[in-house]
Amino acid sequence: MEKTILKIGGMHCASCSAIIERGLSKEQGIISASVNMASEKAVIEFDSNKIDLNKIQALIQSLGYTIGHGKKQGEVKNLRNKFSISLILGIPLFYLSMGEMLGLPGLSISFAINAFIQLVLTTAILVLNLDIYTSGLKRLFRAKPNMDSLVAIGTLAAYIYSLVLSIYYWIYGLGNTHLYFESAAFILIFISLGKYLENLTKGKTSQAIKKLMGLQPKEATVIKNGQEIKILISAVVVGDVILVKPGEKIPVDGIVIDGYSGVDEKAITGESIPVEKEKGDEVIGATINKTGVLKFRATRVGIDTMLAQIIKIVEQAIGSKAPIQLMADKVSFYFVPTVIGIAIFAFATWLLLGQSLAFALTVAVAVLIIACPCALGLATPTAVMMGTGLAAQRGILIKSSKALEIARKVNIVVFDKTGTLTKGEPIVTDIIQAPGSRFNVLQISASLEKNSEHPLAQAIVDKAKEQKLDLFEITDFRAIPGKGVIGKIEGKEVRVGKPKWIGAEIGRSLEKQGKTVVLTAVEKQVIGALAIADILKDNSKEAIDEIHKLGKKTAIITGDNKLVADSIAKDLGIDYVLSEVLPSEKSDEIKRLQKEGNVVAMVGDGINDAPALAQADLGIALGSGTDVAMETGEIVLIKDDLRDVVTAIDLSKYTLRKIKQNLFWAFIYNSIGIPIAAGVLYPLTGWLLSPVIAAAAMAFSSVSVVSNSLSMKRYKI
């Protein structure tokens, strides 16, 4: 079995994805197909012994879609312009057609001129929205109608109907004075508004992949025959010896064979404190060498590197589809042909019952117009627009309809540690002065560490600056790799480093809290200890408490050791601890929670969190984090305030509730209106729904949907 991800162009509505999925699923050799309208990608699993990729692509093209063409740049702007111009043209059209009915001052022009102006304005609006007709009619002729097909038929029916009446009047001076140009025009205006709003809210998921790929350096310095040679990273092979100087990115994964340095792995592992690397240690591609020179042997290159695996996981997770979208696709797939069938059936039935062609045509047009899905098209984007606007005012970006659906079902919220629950910067948390010592342990330590390039040295120096301590001059300074630093102050030997090197056990209780303990000795006499840790954010505890009040569980997931993770979980009251988890394993942990029946929300800020954010049912990224995390998450917290997790979940639930209300009103009008438009009341009452009333009902359904969305302004948490 093989899996491929294809970019598909030419999709215009939810029914398009359903058409492609059904077309693919019928083909022998295709195991599964999931088409995501938002990302415009199809994730296809197939048996390569029965079908090849070329045939799959040809099949999609035979359905009327293209391969490898996504949205054109500036499409949102084009849709906005199309709607704006259509609306400008629609205002005088509305005045000409409905002004007298609404009691507006009339114009001193004849019906013939009025009809001609309406024809010109409507034709211009039709031309502006020509893509609806090219898409809708093409799908109709292929017997695969979509929403555009229904819009095309309905508006063309109203347009042609009015055109015939106008021509009849212009020739004979007689005819029905009720024209329906405005019906065709305003259907298109509403639809163009819906498409603009929908595209405005779509996330740019593909950019997450591009930014991940951008982490990898383009070149590597390889040592061959004792010489340093720069080659393209694509030319690196397993076994090559690679040299990395301070400030350079490590090009691929490998094992250190010589050198000592601190490596910043935050971009991949999420850990804030640079990791010391020496002979025998593993290094990860795309991390940054901070201090010393490293030589390492490449062990994983190309698609096997940790970064490549993260990219693959993110891409596959992004290709998945939310359940509510599957339901919408199914409804859309059946709705369009059903409405067309009802219109044709009603037309034929009334002809067979002896009614005139004009009567039967009026019924068919009324069915198509009242069933035009402008309300359906506005139901989701208007609610999303209001919901995202309210959220943005509160510093929350909601990027995905998936978030709106899943938020209410979430029962466990998983937090990344570094940069999410913690500040992501090491600081001195505890200062222990040895009893009877006349030396200031912080002052002595900072005096020595100011000369060091060790990752923790800056934290000690910053603490001394905070206390405005004067630092001593140092002589004979030396750094002992993996142990600490040594030097002299006024002729006395001073050491700052690991407890094992100093030879004392002060601060063991602090180590049990997950803190890094550094001892300081003068003339081999320990004068005290400093504890360094990545401390909690001010609002972490409050956020966890509020989530618990919602009846949801919490978990922490981190690459850090169990001691640190357990300590933080205890301080915050977190329910579950997932520690020592590699970046590529984070999404697996999320999958495990999901398999246990949980609906999981993941909160993170680093590139290493991207796969987990994409895999989670609801991904929440912090605005202070990496661009990749923010692109992958369905929700972004701009203010970096974890209490906004609660607000985001509540607002998402509220927005989804409004979407469901909108869909209800949109469908109820169709459920009631279509039978009436088909003439079911005519035999009983002698009353037939005219296209004008059908258009008014359609417009009212749109107004009710928009009004319901606008009522969201009253939202309060």
Side-chain angles (χ1 to χ4, degrees):
M1 184 184 74
E2 291 187 27
K3 179 182 284 189
T4 185
I5 300 175
L6 297 177
K7 187 79 173 177
I8 298 179
M11 293 193 292
H12 293 87
C13 66
S15 62
C16 290
S17 58
I19 289 169
I20 297 171
E21 286 177 356
R22 286 175 179 268
L24 290 172
S25 63
K26 292 178 181 178
E27 194 70 19
Q28 188 176 10
I30 294 180
I31 299 166
S32 68
S34 175
V35 181
N36 190 309
M37 177 65 188
S39 63
E40 296 182 315
K41 287 184 178 181
V43 180
I44 305 167
E45 290 183 321
F46 62 98
D47 185 343
S48 57
N49 294 320
K50 296 180 180 179
I51 190 170
D52 60 23
L53 189 57
N54 289 333
K55 188 172 181 181
I56 293 173
Q57 293 177 341
L59 180 58
I60 294 172
Q61 290 169 336
S62 71
L63 295 172
Y65 302 92
T66 58
I67 300 294
H69 298 284
K71 289 189 176 298
K72 297 178 181 178
Q73 288 187 348
E75 182 173 357
V76 171
K77 183 179 180 180
N78 291 337
L79 287 170
R80 183 193 64 198
N81 293 340
K82 186 184 295 183
F83 163 68
S84 300
I85 297 171
S86 297
L87 182 62
I88 291 170
L89 293 172
I91 292 172
L93 176 62
F94 179 81
Y95 192 95
L96 289 169
S97 60
M98 306 291 288
E100 187 176 344
M101 185 186 301
L102 297 175
L104 299 175
L107 298 175
S108 301
I109 56 174
S110 66
F111 175 78
I113 295 175
N114 187 310
F116 178 75
I117 296 173
Q118 287 191 48
L119 172 63
V120 171
L121 291 172
T122 305
T123 302
I125 293 173
L126 259 68
V127 171
L128 273 171
N129 295 274
L130 196 61
D131 60 317
I132 290 177
Y133 297 94
T134 55
S135 166
L137 296 178
K138 183 166 65 175
R139 301 289 185 275
L140 185 64
F141 294 146
R142 293 176 184 269
K144 303 287 184 183
N146 60 2
M147 287 287 191
D148 285 350
S149 304
L150 194 56
V151 175
I153 296 171
T155 52
L156 282 177
Y159 179 81
I160 294 171
Y161 185 83
S162 301
L163 179 61
V164 170
L165 289 178
S166 298
I167 292 173
Y168 189 80
Y169 184 87
W170 292 332
I171 294 175
Y172 300 106
L174 299 170
N176 193 329
T177 57
H178 294 290
L179 303 178
Y180 311 122
F181 285 124
E182 83 286 348
S183 297
F186 274 91
I187 287 170
L188 292 173
I189 291 171
F190 281 128
I191 292 299
S192 64
L193 173 62
K195 288 193 173 186
Y196 165 59
L197 295 176
E198 181 181 352
N199 279 271
L200 198 62
T201 58
K202 284 185 179 178
K204 301 176 182 178
T205 52
S206 62
Q207 290 188 10
I209 303 296
K210 292 177 183 177
K211 288 177 180 178
L212 277 170
M213 291 177 175
L215 283 175
Q216 196 172 48
K218 293 182 172 62
E219 293 182 327
T221 303
V222 178
I223 298 177
K224 289 186 177 180
N225 300 321
Q227 293 185 330
E228 298 179 14
I229 304 171
K230 281 197 175 291
I231 63 173
L232 292 175
I233 194 170
S234 57
V236 176
V237 297
V238 173
D240 278 350
V241 175
I242 298 171
L243 180 72
V244 186
K245 298 176 182 178
E248 292 182 342
K249 281 187 178 181
I250 294 171
V252 296
D253 300 354
I255 300 289
V256 176
I257 59 175
D258 188 34
Y260 172 83
S261 182
V263 176
D264 183 356
E265 296 184 343
K266 188 175 182 180
I268 299 296
T269 67
E271 293 311 309
S272 59
I273 299 175
V275 181
E276 296 176 28
K277 300 291 183 181
E278 54 189 355
K279 187 176 181 179
D281 291 336
E282 290 189 9
V283 289
I284 304 169
T287 57
I288 302 172
N289 182 30
K290 299 292 287 185
T291 54
V293 176
L294 290 176
K295 286 183 185 178
F296 71 93
R297 194 177 305 279
T299 56
R300 291 188 296 270
V301 300
I303 61 172
D304 296 323
T305 63
M306 186 178 290
L307 177 62
Q309 291 302 308
I310 291 175
I311 291 171
K312 182 181 178 182
I313 292 167
V314 173
E315 193 167 32
Q316 288 180 350
I318 286 175
S320 62
K321 183 182 291 189
I324 197 171
Q325 189 177 343
L326 294 171
M327 181 189 73
D329 289 350
K330 189 172 183 179
V331 171
S332 300
F333 184 82
Y334 290 109
F335 179 77
V336 177
T338 298
V339 169
I340 295 173
I342 292 171
I344 295 172
F345 178 77
F347 177 80
T349 299
W350 287 115
L351 282 180
L352 292 173
L353 291 174
Q355 294 293 341
S356 66
L357 177 63
F359 183 97
L361 184 61
T362 299
V363 169
V365 170
V367 169
L368 290 168
I369 289 177
I370 204 168
C372 270
C374 51
L376 288 172
L378 290 169
T380 297
T382 53
V384 169
M385 182 180 70
M386 289 300 301
T388 52
L390 289 169
Q393 292 172 8
R394 293 161 172 78
I396 302 167
L397 294 182
I398 299 176
K399 298 166 48 185
S400 166
S401 59
K402 177 184 174 184
L404 304 175
E405 174 197 5
I406 297 297
R408 65 189 176 91
K409 300 178 182 178
V410 167
N411 68 324
I412 183 168
V413 183
V414 180
F415 290 89
D416 168 53
K417 179 183 78 70
T418 305
T420 302
L421 291 171
T422 66
K423 292 186 176 181
E425 298 175 357
I427 66 168
V428 175
T429 58
D430 301 88
I431 302 173
I432 301 174
Q433 194 77 28
S437 173
R438 62 185 180 87
F439 298 103
N440 183 318
V441 64
L442 177 60
Q443 185 181 32
I444 295 293
S445 302
S447 297
L448 204 59
E449 292 287 15
K450 70 180 179 181
N451 299 293
S452 173
E453 294 179 340
H454 191 280
L456 301 182
Q458 191 60 48
I460 296 173
V461 175
D462 288 344
K463 189 68 174 180
K465 287 181 179 178
E466 181 185 314
Q467 295 190 6
K468 298 180 180 179
L469 299 175
D470 294 324
L471 302 185
F472 298 105
E473 290 295 325
I474 302 296
T475 58
D476 299 334
F477 175 84
R478 287 181 295 130
I480 312 299
K483 296 180 179 180
V485 292
I486 187 171
K488 289 185 177 181
I489 297 178
E490 297 177 353
K492 292 184 174 63
E493 182 189 85
V494 179
R495 296 187 179 197
V496 180
K498 293 181 177 179
K500 188 176 180 181
W501 180 54
I502 300 296
E505 297 296 327
I506 295 177
R508 293 285 290 175
S509 61
L510 295 173
E511 287 183 333
K512 290 180 180 179
Q513 297 175 23
K515 298 177 181 179
T516 299
V517 175
V518 175
L519 300 189
T520 303
V522 177
E523 295 292 335
K524 298 184 180 181
Q525 181 69 38
V526 177
I527 66 168
L530 302 175
I532 302 169
D534 185 8
I535 66 169
L536 294 171
K537 291 180 179 176
D538 296 335
N539 50 40
S540 293
K541 175 63 175 171
E542 186 179 346
I544 297 298
D545 290 343
E546 289 182 8
I547 290 171
H548 284 152
K549 287 178 183 177
L550 293 177
K552 304 182 189 300
K553 297 290 185 181
T554 56
I556 181 174
I557 188 168
T558 177
D560 218 329
N561 63 67
K562 190 174 187 299
L563 198 64
V564 173
D566 286 343
S567 175
I568 290 175
K570 183 179 179 181
D571 290 342
L572 295 177
I574 288 176
D575 303 299
Y576 304 106
V577 176
L578 305 170
S579 60
E580 300 177 14
V581 181
L582 293 174
S584 57
E585 295 173 345
K586 283 192 175 183
S587 63
D588 292 334
E589 290 293 335
I590 299 297
K591 284 180 185 177
R592 183 177 61 78
L593 290 171
Q594 290 169 327
K595 286 179 180 178
E596 292 173 358
N598 294 298
V599 180
V600 183
M602 170 69 192
V603 186
D605 73 320
I607 287 173
N608 64 299
D609 300 320
L613 287 169
Q615 177 60 43
D617 299 288
L618 179 64
I620 303 176
L622 300 187
S624 63
T626 65
D627 290 342
V628 175
M630 289 188 284
E631 288 290 346
T632 309
E634 288 93 9
I635 295 178
V636 178
L637 309 182
I638 299 174
K639 293 186 295 185
D640 197 23
D641 188 336
L642 290 181
R643 292 171 297 183
D644 285 340
V645 171
V646 178
T647 305
I649 291 174
D650 184 76
L651 187 53
S652 297
K653 289 164 60 178
Y654 177 70
T655 305
L656 180 65
R657 189 161 66 247
K658 284 295 181 180
I659 288 174
K660 289 185 174 181
Q661 291 172 3
N662 287 348
L663 289 172
F664 169 79
W665 287 114
F667 276 112
I668 202 70
Y669 279 112
N670 283 316
S671 300
I672 297 173
I674 290 175
I676 294 175
V680 295
L681 297 180
Y682 185 77
L684 301 174
T685 64
W687 182 74
L688 186 68
L689 183 68
S690 75
V692 172
I693 298 175
M698 178 275 298
F700 182 71
S701 70
S702 297
V703 170
S704 66
V705 164
V706 174
S707 298
N708 190 46
S709 295
L710 291 173
S711 70
M712 293 172 66
K713 289 180 178 179
R714 296 192 291 269
Y715 167 81
K716 290 181 180 179
I717 187 171

